[in-house]
Amino acid sequence: SLTNFDASIESRYSKTNLSKRKVVMVLAAVPLDKRHVTALWSELHCFTRNIDHVLLAAPLWSEPIIRELLVEVKQKLPQFASNKVSISAKFFVNDRYDVGLWCDGLKTLHGDEYDDVVLLNDSLFALREFSGVLDTLREENLRMTSLSYSARDPDGIWLESVFRGFDKKGLSTFMNHSCVPANHRFFCHLEKSSRDIKRCITEHHEIAIARLFPPDEVKGLYASDVPEEMWMEHKPYATWTVHVPYWKEVLVSKMNFPAAKVTKRDMIKTMKNPLIQNCTRLFDRYILEGFNFSAGVRTI
């Protein structure tokens, strides 16, 4: 049929022209401390393969830290030093958490300049070179991908927000849903505790997003859910971000998972941990001693 013919052409077109599709990574960077700056460096080193431009979307207070770090990035990391990947930074009020930084950053881009978008934040240490979120999005012609997913909710798949990819149509759907004013109910002003606010934000801007698409248009790469045989008595259900044995023994050791959680010190206790050396080997950590983190504001 004509429809199938068109679909086959579209499929061949997308596969043969992957290298021509331009990609931007919008990285929500909130450099609260030395660990977050080190994580940001590791992501820039190991998660930017096949990216054309990186836009750091950061809070206003972080400008001195980000500007100084960018000088080092452009000198030390080969893909940026050679201009194979370009990088810039924009600074915002940061009144809507990471989703606000992503949205504010996205709104500074020219609409038709990029075909695919990667959204990442600085809550991960990169452990190895990894471009699977983008590669899967493009090779499988999807609207949305994510590093990790939860399949335990009967209402549908949940793609975690820390590291996601979108094609143009997928990004438009995401922005129409999440890029709303700070006073919108999706930013949970009626919630009182930080725990309830965080859960509410997660519901609206993380859990809800994959369900805006047909199931066959989205994909998560690694299972976030801890298998039942590894559940702990005091915590019968958990995801990889809080369960070190599952992260280390299954995801990293058996599945070559590319990341660790910055705030989970049981994963990466010190910056000397061998797991992060590959993606921080070009990082001159003495630069950290000159940073003033006192202006940092943790929003959630």
Side-chain angles (χ1 to χ4, degrees):
S1 72
L2 185 60
T3 304
N4 289 337
F5 179 72
D6 289 345
S8 68
I9 288 180
E10 183 181 349
S11 177
R12 285 205 308 277
Y13 175 84
S14 64
K15 296 237 187 306
T16 55
N17 288 274
L18 289 182
S19 62
K20 295 180 181 177
R21 285 166 62 174
K22 292 199 72 176
V23 188
V24 62
M25 171 183 281
V26 180
L27 205 168
V30 185
L32 290 163
D33 51 35
K34 293 178 181 180
R35 286 176 70 88
H36 281 86
V37 174
T38 305
L40 176 57
W41 180 281
S42 74
E43 292 174 329
L44 291 173
H45 187 155
C46 284
F47 288 168
T48 53
R49 189 173 66 191
N50 299 332
I51 302 292
D52 294 294
H53 181 68
V54 175
L55 172 62
L56 300 182
L60 293 171
W61 59 260
S62 71
E63 184 166 357
I65 295 171
I66 296 294
R67 292 283 183 214
E68 193 168 340
L69 187 70
L70 276 181
V71 173
E72 288 285 302
V73 165
K74 291 175 181 177
Q75 290 176 352
K76 303 278 180 61
L77 291 180
Q79 65 269 48
F80 298 102
S82 66
N83 287 319
K84 184 179 180 182
V85 184
S86 57
I87 187 167
S88 63
K90 301 272 183 168
F91 302 93
F92 307 99
V93 173
N94 192 22
D95 57 355
R96 289 159 294 140
Y97 316 102
D98 283 349
V99 68
L101 292 175
W102 284 319
C103 288
D104 290 342
L106 287 165
K107 288 176 181 177
T108 69
L109 300 173
H110 301 295
D112 292 328
E113 193 173 353
Y114 298 101
D115 300 290
D116 302 305
V117 174
V118 173
L119 301 184
L120 175 65
N121 68 23
D122 61 355
S123 69
L124 298 178
F125 287 114
L127 307 184
R128 65 174 177 87
E129 290 272 348
F130 177 75
S131 57
V133 168
L134 174 64
D135 295 345
T136 303
L137 179 82
R138 301 166 98 184
E139 290 165 9
E140 299 188 23
N141 243 357
L142 300 169
R143 294 283 178 243
M144 176 186 180
T145 52
S146 174
L147 175 67
S148 51
Y149 68 93
S150 172
R152 293 192 64 86
D153 190 333
D155 291 333
I157 192 170
W158 165 3
L159 297 190
E160 295 185 329
S161 65
V162 61
F163 195 171
R164 295 178 291 193
F166 294 92
D167 76 348
K168 267 187 180 175
K169 287 185 178 178
L171 183 69
S172 176
T173 299
F174 163 76
M175 292 185 72
N176 287 336
H177 177 89
S178 283
C179 296
V180 292
N183 62 0
H184 194 281
R185 65 182 180 87
F186 282 4
F187 289 110
C188 309
H189 302 288
L190 297 178
E191 305 296 340
K192 297 293 187 281
S193 71
S194 60
R195 182 178 178 178
D196 288 343
I197 292 170
K198 188 169 186 176
R199 179 63 191 181
C200 178
I201 294 292
T202 301
E203 289 277 358
H204 289 301
H205 300 288
E206 183 170 306
I207 297 174
I209 303 303
R211 299 171 190 179
L212 300 173
F213 305 95
D216 62 351
E217 292 184 357
V218 302
K219 186 173 185 177
L221 277 63
Y222 294 88
S224 180
D225 305 307
V226 178
E228 287 191 35
E229 62 268 24
M230 297 186 76
W231 285 6
M232 299 174 183
E233 281 186 35
H234 65 283
K235 195 159 189 162
Y237 167 71
T239 64
W240 77 270
T241 59
V242 295
H243 196 286
V244 175
Y246 173 60
W247 167 78
K248 189 170 187 179
E249 296 164 20
V250 178
L251 289 180
V252 174
S253 298
K254 295 181 179 177
M255 303 178 73
N256 204 19
F257 190 67
K261 194 75 176 163
V262 172
T263 54
K264 193 66 177 172
R265 288 179 179 267
D266 290 351
M267 290 183 183
I268 305 294
K269 189 169 185 179
T270 75
M271 299 301 93
K272 295 179 181 178
N273 188 303
L275 283 174
I276 66 168
Q277 296 315 303
N278 183 49
C279 296
T280 60
R281 67 184 185 274
L282 300 177
F283 185 37
D284 182 353
R285 296 178 190 176
Y286 290 106
I287 191 178
L288 294 169
E289 304 308 319
F291 289 159
N292 178 6
F293 295 105
S294 63
V297 178
R298 189 184 296 274
T299 58
I300 199 166

